[in-house]
Amino acid sequence: MLYIPGNNPAMLLHGSVYGADSLLLDLEDAVALNQKDAARNLIKQMIKHVDYGKTEVCVRVNHLDTPFGMEDLKAIVPLQPDAIRYPKTESVEELQRLITLVEQIEDEHGLPHDKMTIHIMIETALGVQNVFDIAKYSKRVDAITIGGQDLTADMNIKSSKNSSGIDLARKMIVMAAKANRIDAIDTVYVDIDDEEGLKQETEFIRQIGFSGKAVINPRQIDPIHEIYTPSDDEIRKAYRVVKEFNKNKAKGIGVFAIDGKMVDAPVVTRARYVLELSGVDHENI
Amino acid sequence: MRTFNFLAMNKNKIGREIPKNIEGIGELEPYSGAWKKLKKGWMDELTSPPPNKAKMPHADKVCDTLEEAIEKSNPKDGMTVSFHHHMRNGENILVRSIDILAKMGIKNITLASSSLNESHNPIIKYLEDGTITRIWTSGIRGKLGQAISSGVMDLPITIHSHGGRVRAIHTGKISIDLAIIAASAADEEGNATGSTGKSAFGSLGYAHIDSQYAKQVMVVTDDLVDYPCYPLSIKQIYVDFVVKVDSIGDSSKIASGTTRITKSPMDLRIAKLGADVIENSGFFNEGFSFQVGAGGASLAVAKFIREKMKRKNIKGSFLLGGVTSYGVDMLNEGLFKTIFDVQSFDAAVSTSLYNNKNHIEISAGHYASPFNCGCVTNKLDIVVLGALEIDLDFNVNVITGANGEVRGASGGHSDTASGAQLTVVVCPSFRGRISTINKRVQTVVTPGETVDVLVTERGICVNPMKPELEESLKKAGLNIKKIEDLQQEVEKIVGKAKEVKYSDKIVGLVEYRDGTIVDVIRQVIEE
Amino acid sequence: MKLIKKAQAGSFESSDILILASPVEEGEGRDIQIESGVFMQYGETIEKLIHQVLDQFEVNDVQLQIHDKGAIEPVILARMETVMQRALEMQKGTMY
């Protein structure tokens, strides 16, 4: 998920070519306070005119407690991007307020309530504490994401390379997301020249269950994809698991072994996930 | 002023109107296909004989000043003077020499430099006053290009490729009276090199042919070394005069930013896709040979190919062409066995050329001339090239800019495209608001039949003449589009551009490497 | 509508367009100066878009100084919209 500063025409124009799965057109932190109107107009026109193809388009609006949030919603919701991303969410009440306003605007424009989804950003300690309830509150919320920079500031901890300070927050967010069967997206890695560090962090967040990561520079996309893309070996194994499973299922066998290792339902689920990630049709193996 | 309104025209093989004849230049042969003339195995054109020279033992060739040497060469009105462009933007011998000739009152000069760039803007005044009346070059940039496009000269200039220039000299189309060859080191007999000395610039490949065919040859150096000077890029047997000057130019200006791997995310993206295309083309095999252009996405392809070679443990045969220090690094890592170096793109390369026996200087003829028993470009497996513009027939323009003015270089573009098994063109689908993919390019330099695949950030287009290539790239999951569709997609983004307005006056002829005319450049009408 | 103050939108960055709008006396009309590296190709379409947005805001008297760096249509529309809202003091949800 590539962040694009909302007031930068060149990046808004070219953002979709770098292979990101999703574009985060930003009206919040990447836009100067005196350019919020300009960025809002620009994003509005770009969404209307530019074909972003298969890339998901998500707009990060400002919080409703700022003087900008309401105007952002009025401008963006009628355009129905794939998602809006709501920053600094701390409670269910805040989310409730957001959804009420969004749906009001949708009603005014005769738009459905089930098309555009909402990504929630957790960026404070209080937000982390309430994350499970927030994740559970509405079907419109289909991703929870952690804002590492703001959270570090809110917790008043020194940021460190291995971000051990936000370790618990990361895991709580993943748990809340997984418990509600929605995606958990990790925060950005700020040192764009440190590809090694980016890779290490990505390995880690993949292990603990995040389904993706936000980036601030197109150069960071390929290293992340590389880690999230299953290796040829993994794909081959997964293919074999699903194939054997289907064969055995036909014979009425649910649990069997490949190369001496037990294969049961969870193993098959994981194998299907690997094939899904690699774009392999796993329905008819 | 001549008028060109009523010229009889021929259509060449790619549908461009070529005059049958231009007064002051002669008959023009229209382009008939990239390999049509070579297929026979010989060329009908006669070779113009090199001059026979003689010299008494121990006679002195050294002159104290450039003026003295030029005076001794007995310059005449209507003469042809040649130069090389190895110093690129740092070059300062050409302008000084023309200044001297102009001061002597010489008129009607034909300038035959292997290329021209921004450092040559001062010669515009000599185009205006009739000192220079014809130009042969592989490229023109800056104000000089604008001046030519606005019609400052009566006769059109001729743009040739690096290989084509050698052919034109062999056949006497360019008949050089005086070759002025800058060298970073030379001895009193004229043995000369570009690989050592304070102004070392690397290979002297473009100047070899001049030294052999010019009626008089002058080596100009700022480092006159004790006899003998070697390696023998230029040999004493061809040299009439040797001149010692304070400086032949600034070799630090050779590179001008083209030889470092770009940090532009767009160029890197295109380069990565280009490398993916190469990897899945069927030509990325043990022992492959490779050339990339300098600068931007083109050079960055080398970065990704380097990673892929290491990952797949593939070693290449030779690197060719304009050589960057990046190529030298790949040689030193053992990824390639050899570098053939016709031109060095940064001064640092000269050290390697001087020290490493696997880094070999070759002449422009050995590099790319179509009129011999096989140049090195013919052995090339993969070449990666840039483009200012490409059209639906895959014809590539690398010579005229969006406003119609001459601002680029043919260089080895068409030579390598014709020789390589796989010609990959990498460029952004639009620059600023200007589309790179158009229905018809303004000027064709490299004909589409020699281009295999176009790689842009918004899609990859395969020449329909290469269906097997398209099949294997599709199988690899690459984003393949029809070039017509990509052109439409881009036009939808940037909007339909108004076309450049040209007059009937022809200001430039674009020669294909075999000497046929592939296109003409017309005068731009300013609004 | 009558412009209340001078305003500016956009930037000199590539693919952007910088627009400066100044109020003029009523009846003076639209004074539009366009500078663009792609004027030859897109000068006419840029002008058309500018008039389109002026019409939309019903602004008949204005001086516009425009420096285009290859902006595509949506960018031109967005910058014009912003500069008009600012000059007419109609803009909302921003700080100055």
Side-chain angles (χ1 to χ4, degrees):
Chain A
M1 311 187 85
L2 173 64
Y3 268 112
I4 296 182
N7 203 26
N8 186 320
M11 291 187 70
L12 285 166
L13 182 54
H14 296 298
S16 61
V17 307
Y18 298 108
D21 303 297
S22 173
L23 299 179
L24 299 170
L25 315 185
D26 192 11
L27 287 168
E28 202 213 10
D29 289 352
V31 176
L33 298 184
N34 62 359
Q35 297 296 330
K36 296 285 185 189
D37 56 337
R40 204 178 292 125
N41 285 336
L42 186 60
I43 287 186
K44 196 175 72 185
Q45 292 290 353
M46 292 301 273
I47 291 181
K48 270 194 215 168
H49 287 92
V50 176
D51 180 5
Y52 284 99
K54 286 179 203 152
T55 317
E56 183 191 58
V57 175
C58 173
V59 180
R60 178 160 79 167
V61 296
N62 288 280
H63 195 280
L64 284 164
D65 286 348
T66 66
F68 324 117
M70 193 57 216
E71 291 304 316
D72 289 350
L73 290 185
K74 280 198 240 165
I76 303 303
V77 173
L79 298 171
Q80 296 276 293
D82 296 305
I84 56 170
R85 177 177 272 226
Y86 193 61
K88 301 184 180 71
T89 314
E90 295 196 305
S91 66
V92 171
E93 290 70 34
E94 281 178 25
L95 178 57
Q96 200 173 13
R97 179 178 170 210
L98 172 75
I99 290 181
T100 309
L101 285 171
V102 164
E103 299 193 340
Q104 245 171 40
I105 297 170
E106 285 172 340
D107 287 342
E108 280 162 26
H109 289 81
L111 295 163
H113 293 175
D114 57 355
K115 200 173 147 267
M116 184 185 78
T117 65
I118 294 168
H119 296 182
I120 289 301
M121 289 193 82
I122 301 294
E123 304 183 79
T124 59
L126 182 57
V128 175
Q129 276 306 318
N130 292 328
V131 66
F132 184 82
D133 293 333
I134 293 172
K136 182 174 77 167
Y137 175 73
S138 163
K139 277 212 163 62
R140 292 198 82 153
V141 175
D142 71 343
I144 304 275
T145 133
I146 174 168
Q149 297 300 107
D150 283 288
L151 183 59
T152 309
D154 185 63
M155 290 168 70
N156 195 17
I157 50 178
K158 230 172 113 184
S159 57
S160 64
K161 204 114 229 183
N162 63 10
S163 357
S164 52
I166 59 167
D167 189 52
L168 178 65
R170 270 190 168 129
K171 288 172 177 165
M172 283 178 69
I173 284 165
V174 170
M175 211 52 82
K178 298 282 149 149
N180 290 288
R181 296 279 171 259
I182 60 177
D183 284 335
I185 311 291
D186 191 39
T187 188
V188 297
Y189 191 75
V190 284
D191 186 353
I192 54 170
D193 286 323
D194 178 14
E195 194 178 312
E196 230 8 80
L198 171 70
K199 281 181 178 168
Q200 277 171 20
E201 184 166 287
T202 307
E203 288 281 6
F204 171 70
I205 61 129
R206 188 190 175 194
Q207 272 169 24
I208 65 172
F210 279 101
S211 28
K213 189 168 174 63
V215 299
I216 43 176
N217 188 295
R219 269 159 44 206
Q220 297 180 313
I221 295 171
D222 285 333
I224 293 176
H225 271 162
E226 244 163 70
I227 288 166
Y228 269 93
T229 307
S231 67
D232 288 356
D233 204 38
E234 281 175 288
I235 298 170
R236 247 186 308 250
K237 269 189 195 146
Y239 189 88
R240 217 175 129 204
V241 165
V242 176
K243 197 174 169 178
E244 290 293 316
F245 172 78
N246 286 346
K247 236 197 278 172
N248 281 297
K249 198 172 77 177
K251 290 187 230 156
I253 305 169
V255 180
F256 57 98
I258 293 180
D259 301 336
K261 282 190 189 142
M262 188 185 79
V263 176
D264 56 7
V267 176
V268 176
T269 308
R270 258 207 60 72
R272 285 196 190 278
Y273 179 66
V274 166
L275 295 177
E276 175 107 25
L277 270 183
S278 6
V280 177
D281 174 18
H282 56 87
E283 296 299 327
N284 305 304
I285 293 175
Chain B
M1 284 291 245
R2 275 164 238 257
T3 56
F4 290 87
N5 293 333
F6 304 109
L7 284 178
M9 293 284 178
N10 273 324
K11 249 194 188 154
N12 69 11
K13 196 199 169 196
I14 50 171
R16 302 276 162 158
E17 300 251 316
I18 311 295
K20 287 184 172 159
N21 185 66
I22 288 183
E23 199 190 324
I25 287 188
E27 292 215 350
L28 302 177
E29 186 184 348
Y31 170 77
S32 55
W35 301 281
K36 176 91 185 297
K37 295 190 71 179
L38 311 184
K39 259 187 220 159
K40 292 186 288 192
W42 73 89
M43 305 304 299
D44 294 324
E45 288 82 350
L46 292 178
T47 306
S48 149
N52 286 323
K53 297 181 179 180
K55 181 177 169 284
M56 286 297 285
H58 299 281
D60 188 9
K61 293 181 182 179
V62 178
C63 303
D64 290 330
T65 63
L66 197 52
E67 284 82 355
E68 182 195 330
I70 288 176
E71 262 169 45
K72 273 191 182 163
S73 76
N74 198 19
K76 289 190 181 67
D77 287 357
M79 73 187 300
T80 296
V81 193
S82 83
F83 300 88
H84 68 72
H85 73 290
H86 287 291
M87 298 281 283
R88 308 215 325 157
N89 270 320
E91 204 277 337
N92 77 5
I93 294 297
L94 187 150
V95 174
R96 273 161 69 189
S97 304
I98 304 289
D99 279 342
I100 293 166
L101 288 166
K103 223 173 262 169
M104 293 172 70
I106 308 294
K107 292 278 173 198
N108 211 7
I109 293 171
T110 295
L111 173 63
S113 180
S114 55
S115 196
L116 295 166
N117 54 52
E118 308 219 2
S119 68
H120 302 125
N121 287 341
I123 67 165
I124 295 173
K125 57 178 179 287
Y126 300 128
L127 307 183
E128 288 162 350
D129 72 6
T131 302
I132 297 172
T133 49
R134 267 211 82 183
I135 291 179
W136 293 78
T137 181
S138 68
I140 290 201
R141 294 190 157 86
K143 291 211 166 73
L144 186 55
Q146 285 166 13
I148 286 161
S149 295
S150 72
V152 67
M153 296 177 78
D154 278 349
L155 283 178
I157 63 165
T158 305
I159 302 288
H160 51 57
S161 72
H162 290 326
R165 178 174 193 265
V166 176
R167 185 255 324 138
I169 295 172
H170 271 303
T171 55
K173 270 184 149 182
I174 303 176
S175 175
I176 305 169
D177 294 295
L178 176 62
I180 300 181
I181 300 173
S184 60
D187 62 33
E188 72 243 28
E189 286 296 318
N191 295 305
T193 180
S195 61
T196 63
K198 67 170 181 183
S199 305
F201 52 80
S203 175
L204 246 170
Y206 298 133
H208 293 196
I209 187 76
D210 302 49
S211 76
Q212 290 162 28
Y213 276 80
K215 294 188 188 73
Q216 302 203 66
V217 176
M218 184 184 297
V219 164
V220 182
T221 186
D222 52 7
D223 196 353
L224 192 62
V225 300
D226 287 343
Y227 189 87
C229 172
Y230 53 85
L232 302 171
S233 300
I234 299 294
K235 297 182 187 73
Q236 66 183 56
I237 53 171
Y238 301 119
V239 180
D240 300 272
F241 309 103
V242 176
V243 189
K244 164 85 168 74
V245 293
D246 291 337
S247 162
I248 57 166
D250 181 354
S251 56
S252 71
K253 286 191 189 157
I254 298 173
S256 59
T258 52
T259 74
R260 236 173 257 135
I261 299 290
T262 175
K263 282 207 164 176
S264 143
M266 177 65 78
D267 281 343
L268 285 170
R269 174 71 187 164
I270 297 166
K272 187 196 167 278
L273 294 171
D276 289 346
V277 163
I278 291 170
E279 185 180 14
N280 295 291
S281 66
F283 296 103
F284 184 60
N285 303 319
E286 183 71 18
F288 80 109
S289 56
F290 190 45
Q291 175 166 350
V292 290
S298 181
L299 179 62
V301 172
K303 168 185 140 81
F304 294 103
I305 287 296
R306 181 187 197 169
E307 286 164 12
K308 287 183 196 292
M309 289 176 82
K310 285 182 185 166
R311 203 177 308 147
K312 292 196 154 179
N313 197 23
I314 285 177
K315 300 255 185 313
S317 158
F318 65 87
L319 275 172
L320 179 61
V323 175
T324 60
S325 30
Y326 201 80
V328 171
D329 291 345
M330 289 172 83
L331 177 72
N332 291 337
E333 282 178 336
L335 291 176
F336 286 92
K337 202 170 116 194
T338 313
I339 290 180
F340 284 126
D341 188 344
V342 70
Q343 176 183 20
S344 312
F345 274 143
D346 58 65
V349 173
S350 54
T351 320
S352 163
L353 180 63
Y354 187 73
N355 292 317
N356 189 339
K357 71 174 170 44
N358 299 317
H359 185 158
I360 300 159
E361 176 169 331
I362 57 170
S363 69
H366 192 173
Y367 169 56
S369 172
F371 279 25
N372 59 32
C373 283
C375 50
V376 184
T377 52
N378 284 0
K379 284 291 285 175
L380 199 51
D381 289 317
I382 301 166
V383 66
V384 181
L385 299 166
L388 290 172
E389 210 191 354
I390 185 164
D391 69 22
L392 301 184
D393 296 325
F394 288 81
N395 295 316
V396 177
N397 172 14
V398 282
I399 194 75
T400 46
N403 295 340
E405 82 288 0
V406 188
R407 50 152 287 196
S410 162
H413 204 281
S414 63
D415 296 317
T416 51
S418 124
Q421 310 226 51
L422 177 72
T423 300
V424 183
V425 169
V426 290
C427 60
S429 62
F430 57 99
R431 297 182 173 95
R433 200 182 169 178
I434 301 293
S435 175
T436 315
I437 307 154
N438 296 308
K439 289 193 172 138
R440 192 173 185 273
V441 287
Q442 303 192 63
T443 315
V444 179
V445 171
T446 296
E449 63 179 310
T450 62
V451 174
D452 299 312
V453 53
L454 165 70
V455 179
T456 77
E457 79 288 3
R458 285 173 202 271
I460 295 163
C461 308
V462 182
N463 192 324
M465 290 159 74
K466 296 289 168 92
E468 341 69 59
L469 178 64
E470 177 164 343
E471 210 38 56
S472 44
L473 296 182
K474 268 187 181 158
K475 228 181 253 171
L478 293 169
N479 179 17
I480 309 291
K481 288 178 180 166
K482 275 212 245 166
I483 195 164
E484 292 82 5
D485 295 343
L486 186 58
Q487 186 266 328
Q488 288 293 316
E489 183 182 329
V490 173
E491 192 175 286
K492 228 180 113 192
I493 297 170
V494 298
K496 207 171 162 61
K498 213 172 122 189
E499 280 173 20
V500 180
K501 281 197 182 134
Y502 296 102
S503 81
D504 284 336
K505 176 170 171 165
I506 293 172
V507 298
L509 302 171
V510 184
E511 258 193 357
Y512 191 57
R513 57 201 302 264
D514 63 8
T516 59
I517 304 298
V518 71
D519 208 349
V520 297
I521 303 168
R522 290 174 193 274
Q523 178 186 27
V524 176
I525 302 176
E526 303 268 344
E527 289 195 349
Chain C
M1 274 197 274
K2 196 171 154 16
L3 262 54
I4 296 167
K5 58 173 194 190
K6 277 191 179 189
Q8 168 181 336
S11 75
F12 278 120
E13 300 283 315
S14 169
S15 302
D16 206 344
I17 183 168
L18 182 76
I19 306 176
L20 295 136
S22 317
V24 294
E25 292 299 315
E26 212 175 313
E28 280 193 20
R30 296 170 177 176
D31 170 14
I32 303 170
Q33 295 155 33
I34 303 175
E35 218 175 82
S36 170
V38 293
F39 196 85
M40 189 191 272
Q41 292 83 2
Y42 293 104
E44 282 170 23
T45 54
I46 295 172
E47 224 166 305
K48 219 178 90 192
L49 282 182
I50 301 294
H51 281 292
Q52 182 188 316
V53 180
L54 289 175
D55 290 347
Q56 197 184 306
F57 282 88
E58 293 168 357
V59 169
N60 294 319
D61 304 300
V62 62
Q63 191 208 31
L64 291 176
Q65 279 171 287
I66 296 172
H67 303 270
D68 170 55
K69 300 290 260 179
I72 59 169
E73 288 197 8
V75 178
I76 299 170
L77 288 173
R79 294 317 191 196
M80 263 308 281
E81 197 179 345
T82 304
V83 81
M84 284 298 111
Q85 287 168 346
R86 288 175 178 182
L88 296 164
E89 292 191 336
M90 284 166 59
Q91 85 277 42
K92 288 176 195 157
T94 188
M95 282 189 173
Y96 330 106

